[in-house]
Amino acid sequence: MNRNQRSSALVRSRTTPVAARSRSGDESPLFTSVLKCSLWGLLVTFISGIILISVLSAAALASPDPLSLISSLSLIALFPSAFIGGFVTAKRVKDAPALCGIICGGLSTVCAMLFSIVLKGISSSNFELWQSLLLHALVIVFSVLGALAGNVKRVAKRGKRRFGR
């Protein structure tokens, strides 16, 4: 390969979007890698949720009426754990942070809805249907915000933040 061919290949590789470049057989498409990392983010969401619920449960037991705090403390644990899951997903993928957050938040929402259906007889929620749907949609919003925060990097020269690589 002569010098002109190398320089034109270098220019093409810098100007062509990452998703449009030719991939070798061992690389997976963007959506597959986002889905795999979203499953990892879902696991991190559950682990962080369990940790937050444990800490908040200990705080609730110290109060005189812990049953009145169950709904609010569960929401306090749910939203930060969704944020953490989106953050971890975007850190692993480094491309398409909004897609990472939507998929991770969507999976978290589906799991939370399934848990709420299964546990309906055990715990009674004071939320109406529209409030419950809004709260589940907020899980996706917090996950997207976490993914966008996980993809922000500092530029040393100007001190401004930018998204992406």
Side-chain angles (χ1 to χ4, degrees), residues 53-82:
I53 285 286
S54 300
V55 169
L56 293 173
S57 296
L61 288 175
S63 73
D65 187 19
L67 290 178
S68 64
L69 300 174
I70 289 176
S71 297
S72 59
L73 292 180
S74 64
L75 291 176
I76 289 173
L78 179 65
F79 296 134
S81 63

Side-chain angles (χ1 to χ4, degrees), residues 33-159:
S33 64
V34 167
L35 186 61
K36 287 178 184 177
C37 291
S38 294
L39 291 174
W40 175 253
L42 182 65
L43 178 67
V44 170
T45 300
F46 282 134
I47 291 171
S48 63
I50 289 171
I51 292 169
L52 286 171
I53 285 286
S54 300
V55 169
L56 293 173
S57 296
L61 288 175
S63 73
D65 187 19
L67 290 178
S68 64
L69 300 174
I70 289 176
S71 297
S72 59
L73 292 180
S74 64
L75 291 176
I76 289 173
L78 179 65
F79 296 134
S81 63
F83 185 88
I84 293 168
F87 187 88
V88 168
T89 302
K91 280 292 187 188
R92 289 185 63 122
V93 174
K94 292 187 175 38
D95 287 333
L99 181 64
C100 294
I102 289 171
I103 291 176
C104 184
L107 290 173
S108 300
T109 300
V110 167
C111 290
M113 285 182 168
L114 289 175
F115 284 143
S116 66
I117 289 171
V118 169
L119 300 175
K120 187 67 174 173
I122 297 172
S123 66
S124 61
S125 174
N126 296 332
F127 299 116
E128 294 181 22
L129 179 63
W130 69 272
Q131 291 171 331
S132 178
L133 292 175
L134 179 67
L135 291 173
H136 287 301
L138 280 175
V139 170
I140 297 173
V141 170
F142 272 86
S143 182
V144 169
L145 290 175
L148 291 175
N151 207 19
V152 172
K153 293 192 176 190
R154 282 226 175 252
V155 177
K157 293 180 182 177
R158 297 181 189 150

